[in-house]
Amino acid sequence: MHERAGTPATASDLIDVEALVRAYYERKPDASVPAQRVAFGTSGHRGSALTSSFNEDHILAITQAIVEYRTAQGITGPLFIGADTHALSAPAQTTALDVLVANKVRVLADEFDDYVPTPALSHAILKWNNDPARRAEGEADGIVITPSHNPPQDGGFKYNPPHGGPADSDATSWIANRANELIAGGLADVRQAEPSGVETYDFRGEYVADLANIIDFDAIRSAGVKIGADPLGGASVSYWGAIRDAYDLDLTVVNERVDPAWAFMTLDWDGKIRMDPSSPSAMASVLEHAGDYDILTGNDADADRHGIVTPDGGLMNPNHYLAVAIEYLFAHRPNWRADAAIGKTLVSSSMIDRVADALGRRLWEVPVGFKWFVPGLVDGSVGFGGEESAGASFLRFDGTVWTTDKDGILLCLLASEIRAVTGRSPSELYRDLVDRFGDPAYERTDAAASAAQKAALGKLDGDAITATELAGEPITAKLSHAPGNGAAIGGVKVETADAWFAARPSGTEDVYKIYAESFTGPEHLAEVQAAAKAIVDAALSAARSS
């Protein structure tokens, strides 16, 4: 933990916004340098103009590649485009529009030149494609320009195909490879034109009006729930006021400032400015208002993540809130399919497993990445999909799809519905779960790893683990593929009756991530973490020598 974590940012912590934007246009990536090439992770291409990893050439090439990809896929409808409040997002959107217009793609940008949250863009794609008349004009897809909760100097660029959620690896690999070819070729095959003739779409109005079909606002209003919402300077800033006005709520937008340097933030655990609503350090200034509201919430820069603050519990651990949300929703959404499953990533808390078992619902456990929930949310076979990193979405009252990308605004509103309907805060309800199922200790740590070790871990098979015990308990499962869909984990997960760990290589640092949980307590968790490192290191050593 950094010595200044949770303290207000000072002038020395802030980026030079003008220099950052200048670098976006002036610096050119070297295609022979891996760190400067286009690379799509679980949430699109990310980087910084200052390190030549997110510059105009990248966006020109990626957008041209997306145009070619959608043509090859027969996608002929409009492309929705939106951006968050990061300094590099606006110039990247302008660059993308240059290419899209030159390629004669029908583009729909925000009607009010407003910021566009990730869930609002996903919602727009689905609304178009689920309307037979509009779909007859061609399927829609979209681009959302955001590095999510990343620091102010970063930029991000993500493609959402017609299913409305994050593109799968087949699409992103093709797009990244083609973009790198275009950069290496000096962008000779990239078309550019002045971005004229761009059509508009009311992302905010359409999204806010439709919320009545997924959140019980009558209950919130009748109960007089006092709500505070902090957009953390992100894309949801004007959405919260619109929600208040549309549904006559007792809702205060705690902070309406938008500042691409995020000077009003407190520093995160590592001393960086990071708009993570699940981090107590990043949310320190928000937590000062915890006693002023029945429910206080935060969102990250593109509003795909949520932070839930209650007077009695402070900032909730994301895993805790997901468990509460799941139990509440499956008891209060009678029109969902009787066989609708509970979706979770394999590094999310096993408290969710126990809740699912008590509800008599199928648990659908998938690898890290929200893209895995898309098919189930689309056809209603998954009622709720959630990640331990404070991202989730769920179905409408009638059991049909809402978004296929994470929706932080929605999960924040659900906290107020839970408070209104049950008369208790989500943190109180979590304590009930603890009384019934136990009190798990959960933590993510990092262990050093070389590039070769990370590559080996990503391909490691569960059967390569020879250990039979984990921290004194018999091992019951050694997984390299997710139980829910059989997809490769990109690492391993080892389970016992009361504990588990998962190890996955980092995509950006020379470490591998160890996620671990124990229902026996913090001391046992520490034993699990130590054993996890020993088990993984032994398996990697054996794999290297074989």
Side-chain angles (χ1 to χ4, degrees):
M1 183 74 73
H2 193 276
E3 61 183 8
R4 291 185 54 220
T7 65
T10 64
S12 63
D13 299 311
L14 306 182
I15 60 168
D16 182 333
V17 174
E18 290 185 4
L20 178 66
V21 174
R22 190 163 57 248
Y24 171 82
Y25 291 105
E26 293 178 354
R27 298 188 66 154
K28 303 298 178 182
D30 183 342
S32 67
V33 178
Q36 296 181 24
R37 291 169 61 82
V38 174
F40 275 73
T42 55
S43 297
H45 173 73
R46 294 184 183 180
S48 175
L50 300 175
T51 58
S52 299
S53 54
F54 190 94
N55 302 84
E56 184 182 33
D57 285 5
H58 292 104
I59 306 310
L60 288 169
I62 294 171
T63 309
Q64 182 66 44
I66 289 172
V67 169
E68 295 175 13
Y69 175 82
R70 71 194 305 269
T71 299
Q73 297 295 312
I75 302 169
T76 59
L79 183 143
F80 291 92
I81 191 168
D84 76 358
T85 57
H86 276 79
L88 293 176
S89 295
Q93 177 163 310
T94 299
T95 300
L97 288 173
D98 289 349
V99 176
L100 293 168
V101 169
N103 283 276
K104 303 188 185 307
V105 175
R106 181 184 177 189
V107 186
L108 294 177
D110 190 76
E111 181 175 340
F112 303 102
D113 197 26
D114 192 11
Y115 309 108
V116 178
T118 287
L121 187 127
S122 177
H123 179 273
I125 294 171
L126 291 168
K127 187 175 179 67
W128 179 281
N129 290 334
N130 289 336
D131 182 329
R134 286 180 167 179
R135 190 184 179 91
E137 300 177 39
E139 282 191 312
D141 54 0
I143 291 171
V144 58
I145 304 171
T146 174
S148 190
H149 62 297
N150 277 27
Q153 65 268 25
D154 287 359
F157 202 84
K158 187 172 75 170
Y159 175 63
N160 285 32
H163 61 53
D168 63 26
S169 56
D170 289 343
T172 57
S173 295
W174 192 96
I175 292 167
N177 290 337
R178 177 56 178 151
N180 286 318
E181 288 178 1
L182 291 166
I183 293 172
L187 303 176
D189 293 333
V190 175
R191 299 177 183 174
Q192 286 182 265
E194 287 296 318
S196 58
V198 175
E199 297 178 50
T200 61
Y201 179 82
D202 184 4
F203 287 95
R204 184 174 67 238
E206 296 284 352
Y207 175 90
V208 171
D210 207 10
L211 282 168
N213 293 307
I214 193 168
I215 291 292
D216 188 349
F217 287 106
D218 289 339
I220 297 172
R221 186 170 51 253
S222 298
V225 178
K226 188 176 183 180
I227 306 166
D230 193 330
L232 296 184
S236 65
V237 62
S238 63
Y239 281 61
W240 283 107
I243 292 168
R244 174 197 60 216
D245 297 342
Y247 298 104
D248 191 25
L249 303 180
D250 183 0
L251 188 157
T252 301
V253 183
V254 176
N255 173 24
E256 296 184 279
R257 287 185 62 187
V258 174
D259 171 13
W262 270 277
F264 53 82
M265 286 294 294
T266 52
L267 303 183
D268 204 2
W269 62 272
D270 56 356
K272 296 181 180 179
I273 296 175
R274 186 180 289 109
M275 294 66 68
D276 183 354
S278 67
S279 165
S281 297
M283 288 278 283
S285 62
V286 182
L287 289 169
E288 293 175 1
H289 303 283
D292 299 338
Y293 302 95
D294 297 318
I295 296 291
L296 176 61
T297 65
N299 293 118
D300 62 338
D302 69 321
D304 72 342
R305 296 190 181 206
H306 59 270
I308 308 299
V309 181
T310 67
D312 59 283
L315 179 64
M316 291 189 71
N317 179 296
N319 276 306
H320 298 179
Y321 179 59
L322 292 184
V324 170
I326 288 166
E327 182 172 66
Y328 172 84
L329 284 167
F330 280 86
H332 292 84
R333 296 298 189 267
N335 293 324
W336 288 5
R337 282 171 46 171
D339 63 346
I342 294 168
K344 60 165 270 193
T345 51
L346 60 88
V347 296
S348 299
S349 174
S350 289
M351 178 65 88
I352 295 171
D353 303 42
R354 299 184 183 201
V355 169
D357 184 61
L359 290 168
R361 291 282 181 165
R362 179 170 62 94
L363 184 72
W364 200 58
E365 190 172 12
V366 299
V368 173
F370 202 80
K371 65 183 181 181
W372 302 109
F373 297 124
V374 170
L377 290 170
V378 167
D379 67 14
S381 62
V382 172
F384 180 99
E387 299 183 312
E388 92 297 337
S389 57
S393 190
F394 54 89
L395 302 177
R396 299 166 183 265
F397 288 126
D398 65 2
T400 60
V401 64
W402 169 253
T403 60
T404 44
D405 218 325
K406 296 174 286 190
D407 192 340
I409 299 172
L410 178 69
L411 270 292
C412 289
L413 288 168
L414 179 65
S416 291
E417 181 187 327
I418 292 171
R419 175 68 175 79
V421 172
T422 68
R424 305 175 71 200
S425 72
S427 48
E428 288 180 290
L429 294 174
Y430 183 74
R431 288 195 288 273
D432 287 351
L433 295 181
V434 168
D435 290 342
R436 290 160 57 195
F437 303 122
D439 189 5
Y442 177 104
E443 188 176 36
R444 198 205 92 185
T445 56
D446 295 336
S450 66
Q453 288 173 318
K454 291 198 300 177
L457 175 57
K459 299 174 183 177
L460 191 64
D461 191 284
D463 292 338
I465 294 173
T466 58
T468 58
E469 288 190 351
L470 173 64
E473 294 188 339
I475 290 174
T476 57
K478 304 171 186 178
L479 306 174
S480 51
H481 291 77
N485 60 0
I489 291 171
V492 293
K493 182 176 183 181
V494 174
E495 300 176 346
T496 71
D498 295 311
W500 61 269
F501 80 82
R504 300 178 61 251
S506 169
T508 57
E509 300 175 271
D510 291 331
V511 300
Y512 65 85
K513 303 173 183 178
I514 299 174
Y515 303 81
E517 184 175 48
S518 171
F519 273 78
T520 306
E523 291 184 3
H524 188 248
L525 174 65
E527 294 178 28
V528 171
Q529 291 169 320
K533 187 176 186 308
I535 289 171
V536 172
D537 288 349
L540 291 178
S541 178
R544 192 165 54 247
S545 60
S546 62

